[in-house]
Amino acid sequence: MSKALDGVRILDFTHVQSGPTCTQLLAWFGADVIKVEKAGEGDATRGQLRDVPDADSLYFTMLNHNKRSITLDTKNPKGKEVLNTLIKSCDVLVENFAPGALDRMGFTWERIQELNPRMIVASVKGFGPGPYEDCKVYENVAQCAGGSASTTGFDDGPPLVTGAQIGDSGTGLHLALGIVAALYQRNTTGRGQKVLAAMQDSVLNLCRVKLRDQQRLDRTGVLKEYPQYPDSKFGDAVPRAGNASGGGQPGWILKCKGWETDPNAYIYFITQAPVWGAICKVIGQEDWITHPDYATPAARLSHLKSIFDRIEAWTMTKTKFEAMKILNEFDIPCGPILSMKEIAEDQSLRATGTVVEVDHPKRGKYLTVGNPIKMSDSLTEVVRSPLLGEHTEEVLTELGYGLEAIAALRKEKVV
């Protein structure tokens, strides 16, 4: 079966997480991703957080499937010649260097366009143009600058970053979409272009409902679906809302049977208006169906704490899975709090390719996430990550280098 991006060649100058997330997704869709690494070192994550001595870490392997790895000294003049040839033969160059690094290598946008006018240059940066554009950014910095941390947690505690890597992986996903769009536009224009995904921008895009709420707060001075209402006074910025859903249907995380010893014995419960009557019947509170304090969504807003306390009294008599089974029979929206251990052992996720077991020649079998996007005519096969420089000779041969030329480059430590 053909793949969606068959025939597209990616020159991958990315490292750590944001860029590799992007290029791995493109590789899963069938692009030929050539990862350029420094000889003897490679991507810094190969050695970070190792759990198997002398083997690539899970940090690296889980972000670099389906790619080919070559080593190249881009500071060496002969290395630059190889890079020139690579740029001429590729469709997209992806990088997440520090600001200005590509220019300092001698590969400005103008130079790249001279070599290949159809080349798309895609970049991850911490910030877009502005006062912080030269600042170095990591995952949690992006979450803080993009509005996530200030709106995460409880109002009596400090800002919190989330366990989801919305700064790094979230930006990589945004960049991948930009690259595919640029490739599509190139079919019409014949030209390459620059694509930028800033980490701050990407986090803000994922926090758009909070920007929505900021404007509502500015206008009305209150956010009635937030847990601060009606007992606390709102300030001038969107507050932290605990486990409130952030939408028009109030939700909260509730204890389930066994919560005293199991830190994940909880369920997320949403009091969706169309099933309010069913909720009341399930928890044995049928009088709430017509009671004026509970009969309408507007009336319930000022009683949400007591409502969730009453529902929790019911969920605490059930395991999270028992509660799920009962609630789903009545189409009451809810979800179990699943631990990473539970997710790793979930056979349904294995069946769909969302969790995949991969065999690696040095570290053995390990679990990884598969392609989160499923396409009926472009199936994803997750292939192990490459060893450092594993495909150097193969790629150079494709570029027209003979065995003697390759041997000479190796002797001079260019590759």
Side-chain angles (χ1 to χ4, degrees), residues 199-216:
M199 294 172 72
Q200 181 188 39
D201 299 0
S202 298
V203 171
L204 178 57
N205 186 44
L206 298 174
C207 292
R208 67 178 66 187
V209 297
K210 300 301 183 181
L211 184 58
R212 172 204 68 190
D213 290 347
Q214 181 62 52
Q215 295 170 88
R216 293 170 57 228

Side-chain angles (χ1 to χ4, degrees), residues 83-277:
L83 184 51
N84 285 341
T85 307
L86 279 167
I87 290 173
K88 291 176 182 177
S89 68
C90 290
D91 298 284
V92 185
L93 185 155
V94 189
E95 59 92 14
N96 61 338
F97 293 127
L102 204 59
D103 291 354
R104 291 191 292 274
M105 287 170 58
F107 291 92
T108 62
W109 167 247
E110 291 74 21
R111 174 57 179 155
I112 291 171
Q113 286 289 286
E114 288 176 9
L115 294 167
N116 183 357
R118 291 173 57 83
M119 172 67 80
I120 293 160
V121 177
S123 304
V124 170
K125 292 293 175 275
F127 295 94
Y132 306 116
E133 63 183 306
D134 294 327
C135 295
K136 195 170 186 177
V137 175
Y138 287 91
E139 168 66 47
N140 289 348
V141 174
Q143 288 194 30
C144 292
S148 175
S150 71
T151 55
T152 301
F154 291 86
D155 62 351
D156 59 351
L160 291 176
V161 296
T162 174
Q165 304 292 283
I166 61 175
D168 275 324
S169 287
T171 304
L173 294 171
H174 282 87
L175 187 65
L177 176 58
I179 289 169
V180 172
L183 286 168
Y184 186 83
Q185 186 176 15
R186 194 180 69 175
N187 291 335
T188 303
T189 66
R191 300 192 306 273
Q193 62 181 295
K194 291 186 284 186
V195 179
L196 170 67
M199 294 172 72
Q200 181 188 39
D201 299 0
S202 298
V203 171
L204 178 57
N205 186 44
L206 298 174
C207 292
R208 67 178 66 187
V209 297
K210 300 301 183 181
L211 184 58
R212 172 204 68 190
D213 290 347
Q214 181 62 52
Q215 295 170 88
R216 293 170 57 228
L217 180 64
D218 290 342
R219 185 177 299 275
T220 66
V222 66
L223 297 169
K224 291 184 177 180
E225 75 284 1
Y226 275 54
Q228 288 82 356
Y229 177 81
D231 302 319
S232 301
K233 185 178 179 181
F234 285 85
D236 60 0
V238 173
R240 292 183 273 284
N243 292 313
S245 68
Q249 306 296 336
W252 203 254
I253 290 179
L254 306 177
K255 298 172 183 173
C256 289
K257 188 176 182 179
W259 67 273
E260 300 92 340
T261 56
D262 181 355
N264 294 299
Y266 291 82
I267 192 170
Y268 198 90
F269 193 109
I270 297 175
T271 56
Q272 188 182 30
V275 292
W276 175 246

